[in-house]
Amino acid sequence: SAVSGAGCECIMLSADSPEKTRTAAVSAGVREYYAQCMPMDRLEKIQEIKERYPVNSVLYLGEASGDSACFSAADIGVCVDGLASETAMQTGSAVIMDKTASPIAGAIDAAKVTRSTVRQLLLAVLAVKAVLLILALLGVTYQLWFAAMVDTVAGIAGILYSSRIWTEQK
């Protein structure tokens, strides 16, 4: 599946029969799956998954009103086919209006690029501040206008650098 390709561990919780669930899981490339899960079973499995992977976020993908509790229990609830159930739409964190999950992989990729850019910008800002502090301690930047100008230029450069996220994701 597209989500597995984004580097995420996928676990399928299905209300279908074991045979249907296995067939769907194999065709989607999902290694771990559970069949005949009723809403309360899915809720328990979500709690188990959150305990097993405490650092990672749990994204629950569903489409029915019976998934509302699961949407709330997961860190991120995504309602696929937003026209199917208004209750599911209201409890989910995000709504995909068609019946495919393909936009999720794009959102995961965008989040990874954003996280990387934020880390790079934080390091750059800390480096500029450290250089200004060292220069001030050495007496080179005793005038406030110089430090303010360097800080402003660094801020503008950071804004321009971070705007690349929009152009890379189109």
Side-chain angles (χ1 to χ4, degrees):
S1 81
V3 178
S4 302
C8 298
E9 181 71 29
C10 293
I11 301 170
M12 180 185 284
L13 308 176
S14 176
D16 288 329
S17 69
E19 183 60 32
K20 275 181 137 178
T21 302
R22 186 184 65 73
T23 303
V26 168
S27 69
V30 176
R31 289 180 280 160
E32 185 178 349
Y33 55 90
Y34 300 93
Q36 296 177 327
C37 292
M38 293 299 114
M40 290 310 293
D41 299 330
R42 289 189 292 252
L43 197 56
E44 289 174 15
K45 285 290 182 195
I46 288 172
Q47 294 304 328
E48 288 175 20
I49 293 166
K50 286 176 86 170
E51 289 173 11
R52 195 171 8 152
Y53 300 102
V55 176
N56 299 323
S57 295
V58 173
L59 182 142
Y60 181 82
L61 184 72
E63 64 179 26
S65 59
D67 293 325
S68 296
C70 296
F71 288 141
S72 298
D75 298 311
I76 303 168
V78 178
C79 175
V80 178
D81 190 15
L83 303 175
S85 166
E86 189 164 328
T87 307
M89 278 179 50
Q90 291 174 353
T91 22
S93 306
V95 177
I96 298 173
M97 296 309 284
D98 60 14
K99 288 188 178 239
T100 66
S102 58
I104 294 174
I108 291 169
D109 290 339
K112 287 179 180 179
V113 169
T114 302
R115 181 188 305 165
S116 172
T117 300
V118 167
R119 286 180 178 161
Q120 292 168 10
L121 287 172
L122 283 173
L123 288 174
V125 166
L126 290 173
V128 167
K129 300 291 184 184
V131 167
L132 286 175
L133 180 63
I134 291 169
L135 291 175
L137 290 173
L138 295 174
V140 176
T141 59
Y142 60 91
Q143 294 184 349
L144 186 59
W145 68 267
F146 178 76
M149 181 186 70
V150 171
D151 195 44
T152 302
V153 169
I156 292 170
I159 290 168
L160 292 175
Y161 180 74
S162 65
S163 68
R164 76 182 174 85
I165 295 172
W166 292 317
T167 58
E168 285 183 6
Q169 292 302 315
K170 290 186 180 182

